[in-house]
Amino acid sequence: MKSIVNKPWGSYQIIDQGENFVVKNIVVKPYGKLSLQSHKHRSEHWIIVEGRAEVTINDNITTLEPNQSTYIPSRTKHRLANNYDKNLILIEVWYGEKLDEEDITRYEDIYNRASK
């Protein structure tokens, strides 16, 4: 396993990867919120393990519970938020041709990282 990468909203750890996929364990701190973002070169799958996730996909907002999942196609605006006082833990699977942290366009971000 690779080391834990800390972010303003929590942390992630890559637990597996191959030519066209990356699997991450993600922890979102209480009241943490990721950017409203999209990716040109990859789709994502989110599987909730612990906690409750507020998931935004385009203009649709839903709540996912443990053992529920969602699919985010490439080029789709999406966001993940933890509106509760316990950690949100999920597995995220990237699938695509270009799998790096640079394949991101941020539209909104509470940590002032939105794309210019």
Side-chain angles (χ1 to χ4, degrees), residues 28 32-35 46 53-55 78-82 88 90:
V28 183
K33 181 186 282 192
L34 282 69
S35 307
W46 294 339
E54 180 186 272
V55 175
H78 62 281
R79 179 189 340 244
L80 181 66
N82 179 3
L88 166 63
L90 65 138

Side-chain angles (χ1 to χ4, degrees), residues 6-89:
N6 290 306
K7 294 289 191 175
W9 44 260
S11 63
Y12 72 84
Q13 183 176 33
I14 295 174
I15 56 177
D16 198 7
Q17 64 187 101
E19 185 176 335
N20 294 103
F21 73 93
V22 174
V23 181
K24 293 181 175 184
N25 180 50
I26 296 180
V27 178
V28 183
K29 297 185 286 192
Y31 307 104
K33 181 186 282 192
L34 282 69
S35 307
L36 180 63
Q37 59 188 267
S38 67
H39 312 288
K40 292 180 184 175
H41 303 285
R42 70 173 184 257
S43 62
E44 295 181 348
H45 296 261
W46 294 339
I47 303 109
I48 307 308
V49 175
E50 190 173 302
R52 297 172 71 195
E54 180 186 272
V55 175
T56 303
I57 299 177
N58 290 321
D59 295 325
N60 187 29
I61 299 173
T62 59
T63 299
L64 294 181
E65 305 280 340
N67 201 33
Q68 293 183 319
S69 63
T70 192
Y71 169 71
I72 300 104
S74 64
R75 302 181 183 272
T76 302
K77 286 185 182 179
H78 62 281
R79 179 189 340 244
L80 181 66
N82 179 3
N83 295 327
Y84 303 95
D85 60 2
K86 294 183 180 179
N87 282 342
L88 166 63
I89 301 172

